Amino acid sequence: MKTRQGQNLRIMLLPGTVKGGPVHGFDFTEAFGIVKAQALKGVKTLLKRNYLAAVAGSLLWGPAPAAAELAKTQFYEWTARCNSDNYCIAETAGTGTSGEAFRLKIERGAKPGSPVYVTFKPVTKLETGMTARIEVSSGEENYGFFGKAGKIYKGNEMTFSGAADRPLVENLRLGSTAAVQIEFGGSAGTKAYTVSLKGITQALLKIDDAQGRIGRGDAIVAWGGLAADSGPHTLNGTAPQSSDGAVAKAPAEAAPAVRENAAAADDLPPPVMPSQDVANNSPDTGNGMVYDLGRIPDSVQMMGYRTLDCRLDEVVPAFGARVIAEGDVELWIVPCQMADANVPYYMATHIPFNPSLDEWQEFETPPGFNQPNHALVNNLVYDTATGQVTGTTYYSPNYDCGSFERHEMEAESGQYILIEYLEKTNCDGIQGPAEGWPLSWTIDEMGQ
């Protein structure tokens, strides 16, 4: 699978309106024209919210202060904030070709299934009928969408609305920079503006958490199988609170999001990432997710930096590391690199009273592969009940094919051995748990 640096997406916006404006009076919607249909195929389900549901743990919100608007939280080049009604905005600043200031914003209200608004705010005066284009770059492929402003809003803003999982929002999350072109006409001509997308995923994740959408079908990032109207769900298991400290009530009207390429009713949900595994992360197990890189022991960090070429400063705040306390030993499961579907993790043991004994674990590959053991396991999950380690590598962004490995520790050697390897090579669009894929190899074949 490609990493975030391995994609190049072009997005433009098509005209349209939606009845009934949101809190800020926006009424634009999107209709999409695909420039490269083959490249776009699967993008709407890319990530499936499972890997970035793991991202979500870094973005816990406390009770909102009584001020009219919450203070901004910075995520690299983006900020996130919500007002007392839980209307939230993620935004970043950029500059035009002539040095003109520009802001790109993503806004959303708190009601179930509420639209997501992508808003452009230049300095040059906007007028209805002007065409806007946005190009998102981070690799090899290009997409194009465009749209015309049906209305200009207070603050000189034009906006486009639609579902949380539409390609525009998905591709913005996958990009590294965005270039916006607005056709002003007249002496102003066409102006281009460039903004960074670094931090956009974290900012949108914070919005999901603030609005209690974690694990719900209408989340922007932390999407799950819960209905959009199933009530508020946050990462720490508590409901969002209003400015007076009271638990916010779910809106009376439910508007579940419509997902164009949702799986068939009899399909199973996408796989669970480590931070979503309730059984593995309950308070009773003594486990926890860590999103502050400084809380990871230096010796464990150095394994990732020096030996495995990891980007911990980028990936830990996004996905979070998991720590499991077992007596005098800590077991750390740490993400290594940003990726679309296959997030690599390494696992290390840490001895707080003697870090010189710290070491990372290695895992076997099937004998027929003739490859050495590996320290990085894609989408690694550690089962606290059995001590088994499993990993899944997806061959498709639709999570409908790939390989699955299961390891357990050998008592005699204290090393992890491979006990079974599953593989599904037919990417047929049918999703289901990787544990149900065809058996490719098992340790029983070795006569043990």
Side-chain angles (χ1 to χ4, degrees):
M1 305 296 294
K2 297 178 182 177
T3 62
R4 289 187 62 169
Q5 289 71 31
Q7 298 183 342
N8 185 9
L9 309 169
R10 182 190 306 272
I11 305 171
M12 300 176 189
L13 307 171
L14 288 173
T17 58
V18 62
K19 297 179 180 179
V23 173
H24 287 177
F26 300 125
D27 61 5
F28 251 70
T29 188
E30 296 167 32
F32 293 97
I34 302 176
V35 172
K36 288 194 174 182
Q38 183 61 35
L40 182 58
K41 185 179 181 181
V43 167
K44 291 185 69 179
T45 54
L46 193 59
L47 301 173
K48 214 56 169 174
R49 270 69 176 194
N50 69 336
Y51 98 79
L52 289 181
V55 180
S58 63
L59 310 172
L60 301 180
W61 287 65
E69 195 164 89
L70 300 181
K72 293 182 180 180
T73 303
Q74 188 81 36
F75 298 100
Y76 296 104
E77 305 300 327
W78 282 73
T79 61
R81 55 190 168 93
C82 298
N83 65 15
S84 58
D85 294 322
N86 239 6
Y87 188 89
C88 300
I89 299 175
E91 63 181 325
T92 189
T95 55
T97 51
S98 59
E100 177 183 336
F102 177 80
R103 301 197 76 81
L104 174 62
K105 302 194 293 183
I106 298 180
E107 311 180 55
R108 196 178 200 191
K111 290 185 178 180
S114 58
V116 176
Y117 304 95
V118 178
T119 303
F120 307 142
K121 184 177 182 178
V123 173
T124 302
K125 184 179 179 181
L126 294 167
E127 296 180 2
T128 58
M130 287 183 174
T131 299
R133 299 177 176 85
I134 179 170
E135 178 177 327
V136 181
S137 302
S138 63
E140 301 171 353
E141 300 297 336
N142 293 314
Y143 293 94
F145 301 94
F146 64 91
K148 292 185 178 180
K151 184 177 180 180
I152 305 303
Y153 298 93
K154 183 178 180 180
N156 196 47
E157 296 180 347
M158 63 189 301
T159 192
F160 301 85
S161 71
D165 65 340
R166 67 194 192 273
L168 173 60
V169 178
E170 291 286 341
N171 293 333
L172 284 170
R173 289 175 44 214
L174 297 174
S176 59
T177 60
V180 181
Q181 292 184 339
I182 300 177
E183 296 179 3
F184 291 98
S187 59
T190 298
K191 293 190 175 184
Y193 308 85
T194 302
V195 296
S196 171
L197 298 177
K198 186 176 182 180
I200 185 174
T201 293
Q202 292 93 325
L204 295 177
L205 233 356
K206 187 144 191 170
I207 290 177
D208 275 349
D209 190 43
Q211 296 180 340
R213 301 182 193 273
I214 302 303
R216 285 176 18 180
D218 62 346
I220 304 175
V221 175
W223 178 81
L226 298 173
D229 60 346
S230 58
H233 295 265
T234 58
L235 293 162
N236 59 4
T238 61
Q241 293 181 321
S242 63
S243 58
D244 60 1
V247 175
K249 295 181 179 180
E253 296 182 1
V258 177
R259 313 183 75 81
E260 294 180 2
N261 56 352
D266 57 349
D267 280 350
L268 294 173
V272 176
M273 293 297 288
S275 69
Q276 293 178 286
D277 193 335
V278 176
N280 272 340
N281 289 282
S282 66
D284 294 338
T285 65
N287 304 332
M289 297 297 295
V290 173
Y291 297 85
D292 181 356
L293 182 60
R295 292 182 57 192
I296 300 178
D298 290 342
S299 56
V300 176
Q301 289 188 46
M302 290 305 104
M303 294 176 192
Y305 279 127
R306 295 176 179 174
T307 307
L308 303 174
D309 195 28
C310 297
R311 294 293 303 273
L312 302 183
D313 56 335
E314 176 182 353
V315 73
V316 169
F319 295 113
R322 184 178 172 204
V323 58
I324 300 141
E326 298 180 339
D328 294 332
V329 178
E330 292 178 355
L331 183 65
W332 285 87
I333 300 169
V334 185
C336 180
Q337 297 280 357
M338 296 290 284
D340 293 340
N342 296 321
V343 181
Y345 288 76
Y346 66 95
M347 193 166 79
T349 55
H350 171 61
I351 315 297
F353 62 83
N354 191 356
S356 64
L357 299 177
D358 291 1
E359 61 179 356
W360 72 78
Q361 300 294 330
E362 290 189 343
F363 303 91
E364 289 184 326
T365 54
F369 285 17
N370 296 318
Q371 295 179 359
N373 295 346
H374 51 284
L376 294 176
V377 176
N378 287 334
N379 302 316
L380 186 154
V381 175
Y382 176 81
D383 190 324
T384 56
T386 65
Q388 291 184 346
V389 172
T390 58
T392 308
T393 299
Y394 298 101
Y395 300 166
S396 161
N398 296 320
Y399 304 97
D400 56 349
C401 56
S403 61
F404 175 83
E405 54 189 291
R406 186 188 303 276
H407 307 263
E408 70 178 13
M409 182 174 288
E410 187 178 52
E412 183 177 349
S413 66
Q415 304 297 315
Y416 279 92
I417 59 173
L418 180 69
I419 59 175
E420 69 176 0
Y421 185 85
L422 313 178
E423 186 174 27
K424 180 187 177 186
T425 58
N426 181 21
C427 301
D428 53 11
I430 300 175
Q431 299 170 355
E435 291 91 335
W437 289 346
L439 182 66
S440 177
W441 180 90
T442 174
I443 195 171
D444 294 337
E445 296 177 357
M446 305 301 293
Q448 300 182 28

PDB file of all heavy atoms in Angstrom, residues 257-291:
ATOM      1  N   ALA A 257     -25.967   9.390   7.985  1.00  0.00           N
ATOM      2  CA  ALA A 257     -25.240   9.677   6.762  1.00  0.00           C
ATOM      3  C   ALA A 257     -25.508   8.590   5.733  1.00  0.00           C
ATOM      4  O   ALA A 257     -25.639   7.423   6.048  1.00  0.00           O
ATOM      5  CB  ALA A 257     -23.736   9.767   7.049  1.00  0.00           C
ATOM      6  N   VAL A 258     -25.591   8.991   4.457  1.00  0.00           N
ATOM      7  CA  VAL A 258     -25.755   8.044   3.362  1.00  0.00           C
ATOM      8  C   VAL A 258     -24.382   7.747   2.792  1.00  0.00           C
ATOM      9  O   VAL A 258     -23.676   8.643   2.349  1.00  0.00           O
ATOM     10  CB  VAL A 258     -26.664   8.635   2.251  1.00  0.00           C
ATOM     11  CG1 VAL A 258     -26.752   7.664   1.090  1.00  0.00           C
ATOM     12  CG2 VAL A 258     -28.047   8.916   2.817  1.00  0.00           C
ATOM     13  N   ARG A 259     -23.982   6.498   2.779  1.00  0.00           N
ATOM     14  CA  ARG A 259     -22.672   6.093   2.289  1.00  0.00           C
ATOM     15  C   ARG A 259     -22.880   5.380   0.966  1.00  0.00           C
ATOM     16  O   ARG A 259     -23.421   4.288   0.900  1.00  0.00           O
ATOM     17  CB  ARG A 259     -21.974   5.212   3.309  1.00  0.00           C
ATOM     18  CG  ARG A 259     -22.039   5.780   4.713  1.00  0.00           C
ATOM     19  CD  ARG A 259     -21.275   4.939   5.697  1.00  0.00           C
ATOM     20  NE  ARG A 259     -19.852   5.124   5.554  1.00  0.00           N
ATOM     21  CZ  ARG A 259     -19.181   6.163   6.078  1.00  0.00           C
ATOM     22  NH1 ARG A 259     -19.825   7.072   6.756  1.00  0.00           N
ATOM     23  NH2 ARG A 259     -17.892   6.273   5.910  1.00  0.00           N
ATOM     24  N   GLU A 260     -22.403   5.988  -0.120  1.00  0.00           N
ATOM     25  CA  GLU A 260     -22.699   5.497  -1.455  1.00  0.00           C
ATOM     26  C   GLU A 260     -22.205   4.083  -1.683  1.00  0.00           C
ATOM     27  O   GLU A 260     -22.831   3.298  -2.377  1.00  0.00           O
ATOM     28  CB  GLU A 260     -22.076   6.436  -2.496  1.00  0.00           C
ATOM     29  CG  GLU A 260     -22.719   7.821  -2.494  1.00  0.00           C
ATOM     30  CD  GLU A 260     -22.077   8.714  -3.526  1.00  0.00           C
ATOM     31  OE1 GLU A 260     -21.186   8.228  -4.239  1.00  0.00           O
ATOM     32  OE2 GLU A 260     -22.465   9.876  -3.620  1.00  0.00           O
ATOM     33  N   ASN A 261     -21.040   3.763  -1.151  1.00  0.00           N
ATOM     34  CA  ASN A 261     -20.477   2.443  -1.411  1.00  0.00           C
ATOM     35  C   ASN A 261     -20.395   1.631  -0.130  1.00  0.00           C
ATOM     36  O   ASN A 261     -19.435   0.926   0.108  1.00  0.00           O
ATOM     37  CB  ASN A 261     -19.108   2.555  -2.077  1.00  0.00           C
ATOM     38  CG  ASN A 261     -18.154   3.378  -1.256  1.00  0.00           C
ATOM     39  OD1 ASN A 261     -18.548   3.987  -0.279  1.00  0.00           O
ATOM     40  ND2 ASN A 261     -16.898   3.391  -1.657  1.00  0.00           N
ATOM     41  N   ALA A 262     -21.441   1.742   0.701  1.00  0.00           N
ATOM     42  CA  ALA A 262     -21.449   0.964   1.937  1.00  0.00           C
ATOM     43  C   ALA A 262     -21.512  -0.515   1.602  1.00  0.00           C
ATOM     44  O   ALA A 262     -22.027  -0.924   0.569  1.00  0.00           O
ATOM     45  CB  ALA A 262     -22.657   1.356   2.788  1.00  0.00           C
ATOM     46  N   ALA A 263     -20.978  -1.348   2.497  1.00  0.00           N
ATOM     47  CA  ALA A 263     -20.973  -2.779   2.267  1.00  0.00           C
ATOM     48  C   ALA A 263     -22.392  -3.320   2.315  1.00  0.00           C
ATOM     49  O   ALA A 263     -23.299  -2.706   2.853  1.00  0.00           O
ATOM     50  CB  ALA A 263     -20.109  -3.461   3.320  1.00  0.00           C
ATOM     51  N   ALA A 264     -22.593  -4.486   1.741  1.00  0.00           N
ATOM     52  CA  ALA A 264     -23.897  -5.126   1.772  1.00  0.00           C
ATOM     53  C   ALA A 264     -24.285  -5.413   3.217  1.00  0.00           C
ATOM     54  O   ALA A 264     -23.441  -5.510   4.095  1.00  0.00           O
ATOM     55  CB  ALA A 264     -23.850  -6.419   0.962  1.00  0.00           C
ATOM     56  N   ALA A 265     -25.588  -5.569   3.442  1.00  0.00           N
ATOM     57  CA  ALA A 265     -26.088  -5.713   4.806  1.00  0.00           C
ATOM     58  C   ALA A 265     -25.487  -6.925   5.509  1.00  0.00           C
ATOM     59  O   ALA A 265     -25.319  -6.924   6.721  1.00  0.00           O
ATOM     60  CB  ALA A 265     -27.613  -5.816   4.790  1.00  0.00           C
ATOM     61  N   ASP A 266     -25.164  -7.983   4.743  1.00  0.00           N
ATOM     62  CA  ASP A 266     -24.632  -9.180   5.380  1.00  0.00           C
ATOM     63  C   ASP A 266     -23.115  -9.160   5.479  1.00  0.00           C
ATOM     64  O   ASP A 266     -22.507 -10.133   5.925  1.00  0.00           O
ATOM     65  CB  ASP A 266     -25.087 -10.436   4.631  1.00  0.00           C
ATOM     66  CG  ASP A 266     -24.691 -10.398   3.171  1.00  0.00           C
ATOM     67  OD1 ASP A 266     -24.251  -9.316   2.704  1.00  0.00           O
ATOM     68  OD2 ASP A 266     -24.816 -11.436   2.507  1.00  0.00           O
ATOM     69  N   ASP A 267     -22.460  -8.099   5.033  1.00  0.00           N
ATOM     70  CA  ASP A 267     -21.011  -7.983   5.172  1.00  0.00           C
ATOM     71  C   ASP A 267     -20.660  -7.649   6.609  1.00  0.00           C
ATOM     72  O   ASP A 267     -21.384  -6.946   7.308  1.00  0.00           O
ATOM     73  CB  ASP A 267     -20.453  -6.882   4.255  1.00  0.00           C
ATOM     74  CG  ASP A 267     -20.311  -7.383   2.828  1.00  0.00           C
ATOM     75  OD1 ASP A 267     -20.455  -8.599   2.623  1.00  0.00           O
ATOM     76  OD2 ASP A 267     -20.063  -6.550   1.938  1.00  0.00           O
ATOM     77  N   LEU A 268     -19.520  -8.138   7.053  1.00  0.00           N
ATOM     78  CA  LEU A 268     -19.054  -7.811   8.385  1.00  0.00           C
ATOM     79  C   LEU A 268     -18.331  -6.478   8.366  1.00  0.00           C
ATOM     80  O   LEU A 268     -17.844  -6.047   7.318  1.00  0.00           O
ATOM     81  CB  LEU A 268     -18.125  -8.919   8.879  1.00  0.00           C
ATOM     82  CG  LEU A 268     -18.819 -10.278   9.090  1.00  0.00           C
ATOM     83  CD1 LEU A 268     -17.785 -11.337   9.422  1.00  0.00           C
ATOM     84  CD2 LEU A 268     -19.863 -10.191  10.183  1.00  0.00           C
ATOM     85  N   PRO A 269     -18.243  -5.793   9.498  1.00  0.00           N
ATOM     86  CA  PRO A 269     -17.582  -4.490   9.537  1.00  0.00           C
ATOM     87  C   PRO A 269     -16.097  -4.622   9.283  1.00  0.00           C
ATOM     88  O   PRO A 269     -15.533  -5.720   9.377  1.00  0.00           O
ATOM     89  CB  PRO A 269     -17.859  -3.990  10.958  1.00  0.00           C
ATOM     90  CG  PRO A 269     -18.083  -5.243  11.740  1.00  0.00           C
ATOM     91  CD  PRO A 269     -18.758  -6.189  10.805  1.00  0.00           C
ATOM     92  N   PRO A 270     -15.417  -3.525   8.922  1.00  0.00           N
ATOM     93  CA  PRO A 270     -13.977  -3.563   8.696  1.00  0.00           C
ATOM     94  C   PRO A 270     -13.237  -3.944   9.964  1.00  0.00           C
ATOM     95  O   PRO A 270     -13.793  -3.868  11.066  1.00  0.00           O
ATOM     96  CB  PRO A 270     -13.640  -2.121   8.263  1.00  0.00           C
ATOM     97  CG  PRO A 270     -14.773  -1.305   8.762  1.00  0.00           C
ATOM     98  CD  PRO A 270     -15.978  -2.191   8.733  1.00  0.00           C
ATOM     99  N   PRO A 271     -11.987  -4.371   9.834  1.00  0.00           N
ATOM    100  CA  PRO A 271     -11.228  -4.857  10.984  1.00  0.00           C
ATOM    101  C   PRO A 271     -11.036  -3.787  12.039  1.00  0.00           C
ATOM    102  O   PRO A 271     -11.055  -2.597  11.759  1.00  0.00           O
ATOM    103  CB  PRO A 271      -9.890  -5.278  10.380  1.00  0.00           C
ATOM    104  CG  PRO A 271      -9.813  -4.514   9.098  1.00  0.00           C
ATOM    105  CD  PRO A 271     -11.210  -4.387   8.606  1.00  0.00           C
ATOM    106  N   VAL A 272     -10.817  -4.226  13.264  1.00  0.00           N
ATOM    107  CA  VAL A 272     -10.657  -3.329  14.397  1.00  0.00           C
ATOM    108  C   VAL A 272      -9.179  -3.028  14.596  1.00  0.00           C
ATOM    109  O   VAL A 272      -8.347  -3.918  14.585  1.00  0.00           O
ATOM    110  CB  VAL A 272     -11.235  -3.967  15.668  1.00  0.00           C
ATOM    111  CG1 VAL A 272     -10.988  -3.091  16.888  1.00  0.00           C
ATOM    112  CG2 VAL A 272     -12.724  -4.210  15.491  1.00  0.00           C
ATOM    113  N   MET A 273      -8.845  -1.774  14.761  1.00  0.00           N
ATOM    114  CA  MET A 273      -7.479  -1.372  15.039  1.00  0.00           C
ATOM    115  C   MET A 273      -7.225  -1.454  16.538  1.00  0.00           C
ATOM    116  O   MET A 273      -8.167  -1.506  17.333  1.00  0.00           O
ATOM    117  CB  MET A 273      -7.231   0.053  14.543  1.00  0.00           C
ATOM    118  CG  MET A 273      -7.288   0.161  13.035  1.00  0.00           C
ATOM    119  SD  MET A 273      -5.995  -0.802  12.242  1.00  0.00           S
ATOM    120  CE  MET A 273      -4.568   0.194  12.653  1.00  0.00           C
ATOM    121  N   PRO A 274      -5.952  -1.445  16.960  1.00  0.00           N
ATOM    122  CA  PRO A 274      -5.646  -1.629  18.381  1.00  0.00           C
ATOM    123  C   PRO A 274      -6.400  -0.699  19.319  1.00  0.00           C
ATOM    124  O   PRO A 274      -6.926  -1.144  20.340  1.00  0.00           O
ATOM    125  CB  PRO A 274      -4.134  -1.369  18.437  1.00  0.00           C
ATOM    126  CG  PRO A 274      -3.656  -1.788  17.096  1.00  0.00           C
ATOM    127  CD  PRO A 274      -4.747  -1.388  16.139  1.00  0.00           C
ATOM    128  N   SER A 275      -6.502   0.573  18.980  1.00  0.00           N
ATOM    129  CA  SER A 275      -7.134   1.505  19.915  1.00  0.00           C
ATOM    130  C   SER A 275      -8.643   1.345  19.963  1.00  0.00           C
ATOM    131  O   SER A 275      -9.300   1.850  20.856  1.00  0.00           O
ATOM    132  CB  SER A 275      -6.794   2.944  19.541  1.00  0.00           C
ATOM    133  OG  SER A 275      -7.426   3.291  18.336  1.00  0.00           O
ATOM    134  N   GLN A 276      -9.223   0.638  18.980  1.00  0.00           N
ATOM    135  CA  GLN A 276     -10.661   0.403  18.975  1.00  0.00           C
ATOM    136  C   GLN A 276     -11.043  -0.860  19.728  1.00  0.00           C
ATOM    137  O   GLN A 276     -12.219  -1.104  19.972  1.00  0.00           O
ATOM    138  CB  GLN A 276     -11.166   0.270  17.538  1.00  0.00           C
ATOM    139  CG  GLN A 276     -11.074   1.533  16.715  1.00  0.00           C
ATOM    140  CD  GLN A 276     -11.555   1.250  15.319  1.00  0.00           C
ATOM    141  OE1 GLN A 276     -10.860   0.617  14.547  1.00  0.00           O
ATOM    142  NE2 GLN A 276     -12.737   1.695  14.990  1.00  0.00           N
ATOM    143  N   ASP A 277     -10.054  -1.689  20.036  1.00  0.00           N
ATOM    144  CA  ASP A 277     -10.326  -2.982  20.646  1.00  0.00           C
ATOM    145  C   ASP A 277     -10.680  -2.786  22.114  1.00  0.00           C
ATOM    146  O   ASP A 277      -9.814  -2.661  22.970  1.00  0.00           O
ATOM    147  CB  ASP A 277      -9.102  -3.887  20.503  1.00  0.00           C
ATOM    148  CG  ASP A 277      -9.430  -5.336  20.835  1.00  0.00           C
ATOM    149  OD1 ASP A 277     -10.392  -5.561  21.590  1.00  0.00           O
ATOM    150  OD2 ASP A 277      -8.716  -6.230  20.346  1.00  0.00           O
ATOM    151  N   VAL A 278     -11.980  -2.740  22.395  1.00  0.00           N
ATOM    152  CA  VAL A 278     -12.438  -2.460  23.756  1.00  0.00           C
ATOM    153  C   VAL A 278     -11.929  -3.510  24.731  1.00  0.00           C
ATOM    154  O   VAL A 278     -11.504  -3.206  25.847  1.00  0.00           O
ATOM    155  CB  VAL A 278     -13.979  -2.390  23.792  1.00  0.00           C
ATOM    156  CG1 VAL A 278     -14.470  -2.192  25.219  1.00  0.00           C
ATOM    157  CG2 VAL A 278     -14.470  -1.259  22.893  1.00  0.00           C
ATOM    158  N   ALA A 279     -11.952  -4.780  24.312  1.00  0.00           N
ATOM    159  CA  ALA A 279     -11.521  -5.848  25.199  1.00  0.00           C
ATOM    160  C   ALA A 279     -10.056  -5.708  25.573  1.00  0.00           C
ATOM    161  O   ALA A 279      -9.638  -6.017  26.686  1.00  0.00           O
ATOM    162  CB  ALA A 279     -11.759  -7.202  24.530  1.00  0.00           C
ATOM    163  N   ASN A 280      -9.261  -5.241  24.633  1.00  0.00           N
ATOM    164  CA  ASN A 280      -7.832  -5.127  24.873  1.00  0.00           C
ATOM    165  C   ASN A 280      -7.447  -3.837  25.567  1.00  0.00           C
ATOM    166  O   ASN A 280      -6.308  -3.670  25.986  1.00  0.00           O
ATOM    167  CB  ASN A 280      -7.065  -5.220  23.551  1.00  0.00           C
ATOM    168  CG  ASN A 280      -6.732  -6.658  23.192  1.00  0.00           C
ATOM    169  OD1 ASN A 280      -6.734  -7.533  24.048  1.00  0.00           O
ATOM    170  ND2 ASN A 280      -6.474  -6.893  21.920  1.00  0.00           N
ATOM    171  N   ASN A 281      -8.358  -2.878  25.656  1.00  0.00           N
ATOM    172  CA  ASN A 281      -8.009  -1.575  26.206  1.00  0.00           C
ATOM    173  C   ASN A 281      -8.903  -1.171  27.370  1.00  0.00           C
ATOM    174  O   ASN A 281      -9.022   0.003  27.683  1.00  0.00           O
ATOM    175  CB  ASN A 281      -8.083  -0.507  25.108  1.00  0.00           C
ATOM    176  CG  ASN A 281      -6.956  -0.650  24.118  1.00  0.00           C
ATOM    177  OD1 ASN A 281      -5.837  -0.259  24.400  1.00  0.00           O
ATOM    178  ND2 ASN A 281      -7.233  -1.224  22.950  1.00  0.00           N
ATOM    179  N   SER A 282      -9.532  -2.135  28.011  1.00  0.00           N
ATOM    180  CA  SER A 282     -10.383  -1.801  29.138  1.00  0.00           C
ATOM    181  C   SER A 282      -9.543  -1.464  30.358  1.00  0.00           C
ATOM    182  O   SER A 282      -8.410  -1.913  30.477  1.00  0.00           O
ATOM    183  CB  SER A 282     -11.300  -2.990  29.460  1.00  0.00           C
ATOM    184  OG  SER A 282     -10.542  -4.088  29.910  1.00  0.00           O
ATOM    185  N   PRO A 283     -10.068  -0.681  31.289  1.00  0.00           N
ATOM    186  CA  PRO A 283      -9.310  -0.319  32.492  1.00  0.00           C
ATOM    187  C   PRO A 283      -8.868  -1.543  33.293  1.00  0.00           C
ATOM    188  O   PRO A 283      -7.841  -1.519  33.954  1.00  0.00           O
ATOM    189  CB  PRO A 283     -10.309   0.539  33.286  1.00  0.00           C
ATOM    190  CG  PRO A 283     -11.253   1.060  32.259  1.00  0.00           C
ATOM    191  CD  PRO A 283     -11.376  -0.015  31.231  1.00  0.00           C
ATOM    192  N   ASP A 284      -9.644  -2.624  33.198  1.00  0.00           N
ATOM    193  CA  ASP A 284      -9.315  -3.808  33.976  1.00  0.00           C
ATOM    194  C   ASP A 284      -8.003  -4.446  33.546  1.00  0.00           C
ATOM    195  O   ASP A 284      -7.377  -5.178  34.304  1.00  0.00           O
ATOM    196  CB  ASP A 284     -10.443  -4.847  33.857  1.00  0.00           C
ATOM    197  CG  ASP A 284     -11.737  -4.353  34.500  1.00  0.00           C
ATOM    198  OD1 ASP A 284     -11.658  -3.449  35.355  1.00  0.00           O
ATOM    199  OD2 ASP A 284     -12.805  -4.870  34.138  1.00  0.00           O
ATOM    200  N   THR A 285      -7.612  -4.234  32.302  1.00  0.00           N
ATOM    201  CA  THR A 285      -6.386  -4.852  31.817  1.00  0.00           C
ATOM    202  C   THR A 285      -5.147  -4.039  32.167  1.00  0.00           C
ATOM    203  O   THR A 285      -4.030  -4.518  32.005  1.00  0.00           O
ATOM    204  CB  THR A 285      -6.440  -5.010  30.295  1.00  0.00           C
ATOM    205  OG1 THR A 285      -6.467  -3.711  29.683  1.00  0.00           O
ATOM    206  CG2 THR A 285      -7.667  -5.795  29.858  1.00  0.00           C
ATOM    207  N   GLY A 286      -5.313  -2.818  32.640  1.00  0.00           N
ATOM    208  CA  GLY A 286      -4.159  -1.974  32.948  1.00  0.00           C
ATOM    209  C   GLY A 286      -3.486  -1.420  31.709  1.00  0.00           C
ATOM    210  O   GLY A 286      -2.334  -0.984  31.758  1.00  0.00           O
ATOM    211  N   ASN A 287      -4.216  -1.427  30.600  1.00  0.00           N
ATOM    212  CA  ASN A 287      -3.641  -0.960  29.342  1.00  0.00           C
ATOM    213  C   ASN A 287      -3.963   0.508  29.122  1.00  0.00           C
ATOM    214  O   ASN A 287      -4.831   1.078  29.752  1.00  0.00           O
ATOM    215  CB  ASN A 287      -4.186  -1.780  28.176  1.00  0.00           C
ATOM    216  CG  ASN A 287      -3.951  -3.258  28.362  1.00  0.00           C
ATOM    217  OD1 ASN A 287      -3.000  -3.644  29.022  1.00  0.00           O
ATOM    218  ND2 ASN A 287      -4.822  -4.079  27.797  1.00  0.00           N
ATOM    219  N   GLY A 288      -3.275   1.101  28.166  1.00  0.00           N
ATOM    220  CA  GLY A 288      -3.565   2.488  27.861  1.00  0.00           C
ATOM    221  C   GLY A 288      -2.947   2.907  26.550  1.00  0.00           C
ATOM    222  O   GLY A 288      -1.983   2.304  26.082  1.00  0.00           O
ATOM    223  N   MET A 289      -3.525   3.955  25.945  1.00  0.00           N
ATOM    224  CA  MET A 289      -2.990   4.534  24.721  1.00  0.00           C
ATOM    225  C   MET A 289      -2.236   5.803  25.084  1.00  0.00           C
ATOM    226  O   MET A 289      -2.688   6.592  25.903  1.00  0.00           O
ATOM    227  CB  MET A 289      -4.113   4.834  23.734  1.00  0.00           C
ATOM    228  CG  MET A 289      -4.878   3.605  23.251  1.00  0.00           C
ATOM    229  SD  MET A 289      -3.849   2.435  22.322  1.00  0.00           S
ATOM    230  CE  MET A 289      -3.430   3.413  20.868  1.00  0.00           C
ATOM    231  N   VAL A 290      -1.086   5.988  24.461  1.00  0.00           N
ATOM    232  CA  VAL A 290      -0.210   7.130  24.729  1.00  0.00           C
ATOM    233  C   VAL A 290      -0.010   7.894  23.427  1.00  0.00           C
ATOM    234  O   VAL A 290       0.414   7.314  22.423  1.00  0.00           O
ATOM    235  CB  VAL A 290       1.148   6.670  25.294  1.00  0.00           C
ATOM    236  CG1 VAL A 290       2.107   7.845  25.409  1.00  0.00           C
ATOM    237  CG2 VAL A 290       0.951   5.993  26.640  1.00  0.00           C
ATOM    238  N   TYR A 291      -0.293   9.181  23.450  1.00  0.00           N
ATOM    239  CA  TYR A 291      -0.172  10.010  22.253  1.00  0.00           C
ATOM    240  C   TYR A 291       0.890  11.088  22.404  1.00  0.00           C
ATOM    241  O   TYR A 291       1.161  11.828  21.469  1.00  0.00           O
ATOM    242  CB  TYR A 291      -1.532  10.640  21.916  1.00  0.00           C
ATOM    243  CG  TYR A 291      -2.560   9.598  21.583  1.00  0.00           C
ATOM    244  CD1 TYR A 291      -3.287   8.980  22.589  1.00  0.00           C
ATOM    245  CD2 TYR A 291      -2.773   9.189  20.280  1.00  0.00           C
ATOM    246  CE1 TYR A 291      -4.207   7.984  22.304  1.00  0.00           C
ATOM    247  CE2 TYR A 291      -3.689   8.212  19.980  1.00  0.00           C
ATOM    248  CZ  TYR A 291      -4.408   7.607  20.988  1.00  0.00           C
ATOM    249  OH  TYR A 291      -5.312   6.625  20.693  1.00  0.00           O
TER     250      TYR A 291
END
